[in-house]
Amino acid sequence: AWTRHRDGRKGSGCCVGHKLAIHTGAGCAAACNGRRVGLVTNDAVDAAAICEAMSRPNMRFVPVKSAEQQAVLMLHKTRDLLVKQRTMAVNALRGHLAEFGVVAAKGIGRDDELLALAKADAALPPVARTAVTCMAQHLEALDLSIGAVDEEIAKAHRQNPVSRLLDEIPGVGTL
């Protein structure tokens, strides 16, 4: 679907006179309901499924996103990925240090406490200290990247009137 938005913005040059319609994944799955799992697909089978989907009266379509909308969506997905990576790194560090008896309370805000405990532990082998230092640098880089993406999201939010309007709804924010 990602390249379909680009094609929609360009006017879908290969189909002059036709309007590009982007359907939801759920709608396509419903149209392909008759297919068996493992059935070999080819262009003819795919075309038949598309025709079936287009002939349904309750078929829903996705509006074509502008380049700016795609860029903001990319920011949000990048932020999600970075947050997941930070969580994975903190959990890995917590697990590794627990093997050496260095334990701190859980929570993403407690990683500094965990790193301080590791630094203060004299029984931690030098090789483990090297790994902890590497993980600490990685976490710091992730935090900086998340902060930079958050700033870009806030900037895009301030420039978008629809986003600002949605922000007035209680419980809805820039993220």
Side-chain angles (χ1 to χ4, degrees), residues 69-150:
Q69 289 171 322
Q70 283 291 122
V72 172
L73 181 62
M74 185 176 171
L75 276 175
H76 284 282
K77 288 185 179 266
T78 300
R79 184 183 188 280
D80 286 344
L81 175 66
L82 291 171
V83 168
K84 286 178 187 176
Q85 288 177 345
R86 181 179 62 185
T87 303
M88 289 171 57
V90 168
N91 288 340
L93 181 64
R94 182 178 310 284
H96 293 315
L97 289 175
E99 294 291 331
F100 293 101
V102 180
V103 180
K106 287 184 179 178
I108 201 70
R110 302 292 184 105
D111 57 340
D112 291 335
E113 180 184 338
L114 185 63
L115 289 168
L117 287 171
K119 187 176 181 181
D121 189 357
L124 200 62
V127 175
R129 285 187 190 282
T130 302
V132 168
T133 302
C134 179
M135 292 295 287
Q137 291 170 349
H138 181 61
L139 286 169
E140 186 177 337
L142 285 171
D143 285 338
L144 289 173
S145 296
I146 291 169
V149 171
D150 283 345

Side-chain angles (χ1 to χ4, degrees), residues 27-95:
C28 185
C32 299
N33 195 19
R35 289 199 218 175
R36 293 188 320 265
V37 175
L39 181 67
V40 176
T41 61
N42 54 37
D43 289 345
V45 173
D46 291 342
I50 291 169
C51 288
E52 169 69 24
M54 294 301 292
S55 68
R56 293 178 181 229
N58 59 352
M59 186 68 187
R60 289 179 289 180
F61 297 98
V62 177
V64 176
K65 291 182 179 77
S66 68
E68 292 78 22
Q69 289 171 322
Q70 283 291 122
V72 172
L73 181 62
M74 185 176 171
L75 276 175
H76 284 282
K77 288 185 179 266
T78 300
R79 184 183 188 280
D80 286 344
L81 175 66
L82 291 171
V83 168
K84 286 178 187 176
Q85 288 177 345
R86 181 179 62 185
T87 303
M88 289 171 57
V90 168
N91 288 340
L93 181 64
R94 182 178 310 284

